[in-house]
Amino acid sequence: FWIHLNVDYPFTLTGVLYFPKIKERMAIDKNKIQLYCNQMFVTDSVENIVPEFLTLLHGVIDSPDIPLNVSRSYLQEDANVKKISTYITKKVADRLEEISKNSREEFESKWDNLKLFIEYGMITDEKFCERAMKFALLKNTDGKYFNYEDYGKAIAGEQTNKDKKVVYLYCTNAVEQYQYVEAAKNKGYDVLVFDSPLDAHFVNMLESKLKDSVFKRVDSDAIDRLVEKSEAAKYEISEDDQKKVTSLFEEILPKEYKYDVKVENLGEGAAPVLITQSEFMRRYREMAALGGGMNFYGEIPESYTITVNAENPVIKKIAGEAGIAAVTADNDLLKQVTDLALLSNGMLKGKALSDFIKRSEELIK
């Protein structure tokens, strides 16, 4: 996918920029745009000369209005160079909007490769973001594409919570998060795919741009709490019993993580034990890992919320008449449902995985 540049006024410029196909999520090279003046090479280090997000593109720009024998710092302050930068941004936005309107199928077919560049532009360039909000697409787990306005209208009926906010559900890997995606679909909800390395930053930006909206990853909580329609009935548990349950699960669970253990009513059909990560903490940890001035989040140990579903028949069986607080850590059925929750989150490994397999074989004999 390429964009031709050709302008005579208020400066002269010709060139071509193209969006390279992304083979791997992070296989992106910068400094692939070469700057020329009357076919004489000037530089291929174009940061601050062209907009930052366009440094991810490849191509050639030639302009007699670019001075040859000056420092790069002078180029960054040169009035003509700044005009060129503004023009290129506008030209790219014009071309993308034109294709999205006139050749929607072609635009959708290219979106998975264009997405990363456009997201980067929206995060780093406010003027480009304003334009891109009109043509950028959202992709759901069924492989369908929507512009922001149409998608917001499509989900508003089912996915508006009790606080009158539209909840945008998303996954980062539809295969790995399959059970959570299916739980959402079974409720009649739609799930988006956000699988680029920039999406933690991008989701934050979208929440600020889309009025009365909130973005939640499907595996960050039980589905009924992701899109809360009303206040849920709380499970009553004494402080002493809560401490016993917390101690019980801390003994069973892997020691390398931190846990917040809760006993709640999630419904008979929900899993007996649910392991989730806070949307806020997980998102900001990802942003810190990618860079963004929030490294203190990256230093916080990974923590998970363990929700014991008091309404699940298996938990009722395990708890019996004495209640969940009276259960001991050697209860094989409790270990089994906990290991299943760990397994679904990719957290069951080594000896713990081997023990789970052996226990499963014993339980099905």
Side-chain angles (χ1 to χ4, degrees):
F1 174 75
W2 61 88
I3 295 172
H4 290 286
L5 305 171
N6 191 359
V7 63
D8 296 320
Y9 181 83
F11 51 84
T12 304
L13 178 143
T14 57
V16 61
L17 297 176
Y18 74 91
F19 293 76
K21 188 172 183 179
I22 302 171
K23 294 179 181 178
E24 297 176 17
R25 290 175 66 188
M26 293 301 288
I28 303 164
D29 296 323
K30 282 192 173 187
N31 299 326
K32 293 293 184 180
I33 296 176
Q34 295 183 340
L35 214 57
Y36 286 80
C37 175
N38 287 326
Q39 301 182 31
M40 294 290 291
F41 177 72
V42 178
T43 183
D44 61 0
S45 184
V46 295
E47 284 108 331
N48 299 317
I49 298 171
V50 302
E52 184 181 1
F53 75 99
L54 292 180
T55 62
L56 300 178
L57 303 188
H58 297 192
V60 177
I61 296 170
D62 192 320
S63 173
D65 295 315
I66 296 174
L68 269 175
N69 301 313
V70 294
S71 67
R72 185 166 167 271
S73 60
Y74 177 88
L75 278 177
Q76 293 168 11
E77 298 302 321
D78 184 80
N80 281 328
V81 171
K82 287 184 177 180
K83 289 177 184 176
I84 289 169
S85 176
T86 302
Y87 168 78
I88 292 172
T89 301
K90 181 181 181 301
K91 186 70 174 179
V92 169
D94 286 346
R95 180 71 176 131
L96 290 169
E97 187 171 356
E98 177 191 349
I99 294 175
S100 71
K101 287 181 178 178
N102 301 331
S103 306
R104 180 59 180 257
E105 287 187 9
E106 180 191 358
F107 193 63
E108 289 182 3
S109 71
K110 298 179 186 296
W111 178 253
D112 290 347
N113 282 289
L114 297 179
K115 176 188 172 186
L116 185 61
F117 301 106
I118 293 173
E119 283 188 1
Y120 189 36
M122 293 175 73
I123 292 169
T124 58
D125 190 309
E126 183 62 31
K127 287 185 178 179
F128 180 77
C129 184
E130 289 176 12
R131 293 288 306 277
M133 293 294 289
K134 300 174 184 177
F135 59 76
L137 300 179
L138 296 169
K139 179 183 177 181
N140 71 7
T141 52
D142 295 324
K144 295 179 180 178
Y145 296 87
F146 306 84
N147 62 37
Y148 294 154
E149 184 179 357
D150 290 346
Y151 189 77
K153 290 177 180 177
I155 65 169
E158 290 292 334
Q159 292 175 218
T160 298
N161 65 17
K162 61 183 176 61
D163 299 319
K164 308 301 181 186
K165 289 186 179 290
V166 178
V167 181
Y168 290 71
L169 299 174
Y170 70 96
C171 67
T172 53
N173 188 311
V175 175
E176 291 180 4
Q177 295 155 7
Y178 176 82
Q179 65 166 322
Y180 301 99
V181 172
E182 285 302 296
K185 286 185 173 183
N186 290 339
K187 284 281 187 179
Y189 303 150
D190 194 76
V191 181
L192 296 169
V193 178
F194 282 152
D195 57 359
S196 98
L198 294 176
D199 277 330
H201 289 275
F202 190 64
V203 163
N204 250 28
M205 187 275 294
L206 283 182
E207 281 183 336
S208 70
K209 296 290 183 183
L210 299 174
K211 188 180 178 183
D212 296 325
S213 68
V214 59
F215 284 71
K216 295 184 179 181
R217 204 166 89 174
V218 285
D219 60 349
S220 62
D221 210 333
I223 188 60
D224 286 337
R225 292 191 300 197
L226 289 174
V227 188
E228 284 188 290
K229 299 291 187 178
S230 59
E231 291 291 341
K234 292 186 177 180
Y235 181 84
E236 298 297 330
I237 185 170
S238 70
E239 189 176 334
D240 284 345
D241 282 352
Q242 178 62 58
K243 287 180 180 177
K244 290 176 184 176
V245 173
T246 299
S247 177
L248 170 66
F249 276 89
E250 285 177 347
E251 189 173 346
I252 295 172
L253 292 162
K255 302 297 184 281
E256 62 262 38
Y257 307 109
K258 285 194 169 186
Y259 305 100
D260 177 24
V261 181
K262 300 177 180 178
V263 183
E264 295 189 4
N265 293 321
L266 301 179
E268 290 186 7
V273 177
L274 188 69
I275 300 178
T276 56
Q277 271 192 305
S278 155
E279 170 72 19
F280 175 84
M281 289 304 299
R282 179 199 49 72
R283 191 189 301 179
Y284 279 87
R285 280 179 62 87
E286 290 175 359
M287 290 169 70
L290 191 62
M294 294 173 289
N295 289 333
F296 57 94
Y297 283 108
E299 295 170 6
I300 299 173
E302 278 196 85
S303 61
Y304 293 86
T305 299
I306 311 298
T307 307
V308 183
N309 182 9
E311 290 183 301
N312 184 277
V314 179
I315 293 298
K316 287 182 177 179
K317 180 180 177 181
I318 293 169
E321 294 295 326
I324 188 68
V327 179
T328 57
D330 60 358
N331 185 298
D332 281 345
L333 195 51
L334 181 63
K335 287 181 182 176
Q336 192 72 2
V337 294
T338 304
D339 282 353
L340 283 169
L342 289 166
L343 187 66
S344 70
N345 282 271
M347 298 166 65
L348 195 64
K349 300 170 184 176
K351 183 179 183 299
L353 179 57
S354 178
D355 290 345
F356 168 75
I357 294 169
K358 289 178 182 176
R359 193 186 317 115
S360 298
E361 291 171 348
E362 291 296 321
L363 287 171
I364 61 177
K365 281 182 180 178

